[in-house]
Amino acid sequence: MRVLAQLLALFALQMGALQPAPCRAEGRAGKGPAAPAGPRSVLPFSYDDYPAARARAQRESKILIVEAWATWCHTCQSMRSFVFPDPVLRAVADRFVYVALDTDRPVNMPFIERFPINSWPTMLALDPGRAANPLSDERVLARWTGAMTAPELLMRLQRLTMQSEGVDRLLEQADAAAADGRWDVAAPLYAAAAQQSVVDRPRALLGQIQALRERGDYNACADLVETSLAATGNGAAATDFAAYAASCLDHLDDADRRQRLRQGLRNYLVSLVHDPQAPLSVDDRSDGFGTLIELCDALGDRAAGDRHADARLRMLEAAANAARSPQEAATFDLHRLDSYRRLRRYAEAERMLIASVKALPGDFNAPTRLARLYYDMGRLEEALHYVNDALSKAYGPRRATLLELQANVRAALGQTREAVQSLLQAISVVESMPVRNEYKLALLRKQITAMQSILMSNAAKGPRSEGGPRPTPVPAQLQRPVAAAALPLSPVAGRRLAHQGRDGRLGAALHVLSEPVAAK
């Protein structure tokens, strides 16, 4: 699981939940269960039918393995392309019942309500219980977030069948608490497990830093970075731990300590991402590079960040060129796009994404990314075309992010009323989710307030000349400011927003909305 993707989770490239989200897979507009495109999994997954999978696990007295994934999750795609097809997993193919749930599909919302997912991918090992009704007496045996190598997944699955106490029991209790969102309970349990087991220490430390960050205990998070970074190993747990660590450090009030820990974390990641013996997939290593680049920027060393971006891009291009299918190559599109944009190599980014759009006609990710690229480049008509294309293929919560992008493009084109309508639709999508993202809703309402200010200002000005057209009346729905009090502007930002809104400078006004808000 990755902070980079959930920070993709996400106001711009993310969902807005500010959670790690390893990401990407091929989207599909249909509603029925079906295997995602790509290499055939050795593990016999069924798809998007949790009740049937649970009933089978009950009949066969087997543990139920649930993979919660999403079509936009690049780490999910990496697992599908390079881990699940690995022959080493045949040893456990018939020991468990496996089901994959696309977390964006409405059919899976009851499961997400019962087991909230805040990191993609997440695998849950469940005792299926005995009750007839699903989501009643299941028990969490293990919770694994982010990427794993095939041998690591094999080891974890094999250990599920072993009866043991001690650290296994501590991890089970910690994972169950984390799966329920009881972070105050999970954190000390993970800490105790980390103290008891060298083998499980990286996983326990990852769980501990997740829990500390989720409950907002940033000082304890920083203490953990200071004392335990070296114990996180050299695998995917280490790159994930580093991503959480970087996120926690952003919140430290002590500037000297913040920069000192950032420097130590950067040094650790430099060694890790350049270690050819580290058991990291290309996707894992790329995540490490992403955190490293962010740290360089935070330390005021953008030139070093550019060098790491170049190294990351060369690695990703080699992996994409070696891919066996367009689906495999697209695993690396998101991070390649990040690197191209940072290095201002827009033409190469455009060629890559156009190729993906053509090769994967049912996928909404490629047109989404192409729309973002064109928006950045100021090619607004093309951006609008591709975001509309993506919306025609997308479903679930992802539509809110696309509607927000559509609103920004329309606003930049001067279509302010249409932009407001896009944001209202985005709010409707977020409000329809079983777990409402109040932070995301506040951001969307804040944008609507800015656009309403511009509409009211323009309407008040009246026609430009005696014979000019009269302004279109502002609909009553838009005359009432949408409540944004949950996310207030700072005083300075508020003054700038009012001034820029009166001048009709919507692009500048929306830029203000990305600034930090005043503390409540």
Side-chain angles (χ1 to χ4, degrees):
M1 148 226 107
R2 311 285 185 271
V3 172
L4 179 64
Q6 245 137 2
L7 288 168
L8 242 40
L10 303 213
F11 178 55
L13 290 175
Q14 302 105 339
M15 270 300 297
L18 297 179
Q19 307 293 335
C23 323
R24 197 216 144 342
E26 170 141 353
R28 191 177 58 84
K31 295 182 180 179
R40 185 177 181 83
S41 172
V42 168
L43 303 178
F45 282 102
S46 61
Y47 297 91
D48 296 325
D49 194 343
Y50 176 76
R54 177 179 177 268
R56 181 186 163 200
Q58 288 178 327
R59 288 195 307 271
E60 299 179 9
S61 298
K62 291 180 177 179
I63 293 172
L64 177 59
I65 306 298
V66 180
E67 188 218 11
W69 71 293
T71 58
W72 42 264
C73 168
H74 61 84
T75 299
C76 302
Q77 177 68 359
S78 180
M79 293 288 288
R80 276 175 164 66
S81 294
F82 305 109
V83 176
F84 295 154
D86 195 309
V88 72
L89 295 174
R90 286 182 182 142
V92 291
D94 61 352
R95 290 194 194 177
F96 307 96
V97 173
Y98 299 89
V99 61
L101 305 180
D102 180 344
T103 60
D104 281 354
R105 292 195 178 279
V107 69
N108 296 321
M109 288 303 105
F111 181 88
I112 305 306
E113 284 190 82
R114 172 64 181 85
F115 298 105
I117 303 299
N118 61 358
S119 171
W120 287 261
T122 289
M123 294 189 79
L124 295 177
L126 302 177
D127 177 332
R130 299 294 177 266
N133 296 326
L135 305 171
S136 53
D137 65 341
E138 296 93 324
R139 181 166 63 92
V140 176
L141 304 176
R143 171 183 177 268
W144 307 319
T145 61
M148 292 171 276
T149 62
E152 185 178 11
L153 177 57
L154 174 65
M155 178 194 72
R156 292 184 181 183
L157 290 169
Q158 288 175 328
R159 287 185 60 177
L160 283 174
T161 61
M162 301 175 185
Q163 296 297 323
S164 60
E165 296 297 331
V167 67
D168 286 346
R169 182 60 179 155
L170 281 172
L171 279 173
E172 179 183 324
Q173 292 172 337
D175 286 341
D180 285 341
R182 294 180 289 123
W183 303 110
D184 288 344
V185 175
L189 289 170
Y190 280 126
Q195 292 299 315
Q196 290 191 22
S197 171
V198 174
V199 172
D200 290 298
R201 188 165 294 155
R203 181 165 98 79
L205 289 171
L206 175 58
Q208 185 180 358
I209 201 168
Q210 287 175 336
L212 292 173
R213 200 204 68 166
E214 288 295 333
R215 73 183 193 185
D217 196 344
Y218 302 118
N219 285 318
C221 189
D223 292 342
L224 187 63
V225 175
E226 200 158 26
T227 60
S228 304
L229 179 60
T232 58
N234 64 349
T239 56
D240 287 349
F241 182 96
Y244 277 106
S247 175
C248 286
L249 296 182
D250 289 343
H251 296 274
L252 284 188
D253 294 328
D254 186 335
D256 290 339
R257 187 184 189 209
R258 182 173 65 238
Q259 293 302 81
R260 175 172 56 80
L261 291 177
R262 280 173 172 166
Q263 185 63 57
L265 187 57
R266 178 170 81 164
N267 294 341
Y268 187 79
L269 277 173
V270 168
S271 298
L272 181 59
V273 299
H274 292 292
D275 178 6
Q277 303 305 314
L280 294 168
S281 69
V282 172
D283 185 72
D284 297 329
R285 209 174 290 268
S286 180
D287 277 322
F289 268 114
T291 305
L292 180 56
I293 292 165
E294 291 176 358
L295 288 167
C296 289
D297 289 350
L299 289 165
D301 192 356
R302 185 172 179 84
D306 287 346
R307 291 193 296 273
H308 291 307
D310 183 70
R312 181 195 204 191
L313 182 56
R314 283 186 275 112
M315 175 190 72
L316 292 169
E317 286 180 327
N321 289 334
R324 296 163 295 183
S325 69
Q327 287 83 6
E328 279 192 13
T331 302
F332 312 110
D333 279 4
L334 178 60
H335 287 175
R336 287 173 73 191
L337 176 59
D338 288 345
S339 301
Y340 284 132
R341 290 168 72 186
R342 181 183 180 93
L343 299 172
R344 297 178 175 82
R345 293 163 60 174
Y346 300 115
E348 291 167 89
E350 182 183 17
R351 285 196 296 271
M352 173 193 74
L353 293 175
I354 288 176
S356 289
V357 167
K358 291 179 178 177
L360 304 170
D363 179 17
F364 66 79
N365 292 291
T368 297
R369 292 165 186 156
L370 194 52
R372 294 190 190 283
L373 179 66
Y374 284 144
Y375 178 62
D376 287 350
M377 297 171 70
R379 294 164 60 176
L380 300 177
E381 294 290 352
E382 290 162 293
L384 186 59
H385 168 79
Y386 280 104
V387 74
N388 290 341
D389 180 42
L391 275 166
S392 72
K393 302 167 183 173
Y395 53 90
R398 187 55 36 173
R399 288 184 58 82
T401 302
L402 286 167
L403 286 163
E404 183 183 349
L405 175 59
Q406 184 189 62
N408 290 336
V409 175
R410 284 175 163 175
L413 285 166
Q415 302 170 6
T416 310
R417 294 179 188 281
E418 292 83 355
V420 170
Q421 293 300 326
S422 295
L423 291 173
L424 289 170
Q425 289 180 54
I427 286 175
S428 178
V429 171
V430 177
E431 288 181 333
S432 71
M433 294 297 104
V435 180
R436 287 173 31 136
N437 187 332
E438 297 297 338
Y439 179 78
K440 182 73 170 179
L441 286 171
L443 289 172
L444 292 168
R445 289 167 179 155
K446 194 174 174 183
Q447 291 190 69
I448 288 178
T449 300
M451 293 185 189
Q452 287 172 333
S453 174
I454 293 167
L455 284 172
M456 298 294 287
S457 176
N458 289 342
K461 289 178 182 178
R464 292 172 181 256
S465 64
E466 191 65 31
R470 293 192 174 275
T472 305
V474 179
Q477 180 187 25
L478 303 184
Q479 291 179 15
R480 298 187 299 273
V482 178
L487 196 65
L489 288 170
S490 68
V492 173
R495 287 193 297 272
R496 287 176 53 203
L497 178 59
H499 176 69
Q500 289 156 351
R502 283 195 301 270
D503 288 349
R505 292 188 288 149
L506 183 59
L510 291 179
H511 178 72
V512 176
L513 298 177
S514 67
E515 296 181 352
V517 298
K520 293 184 181 179

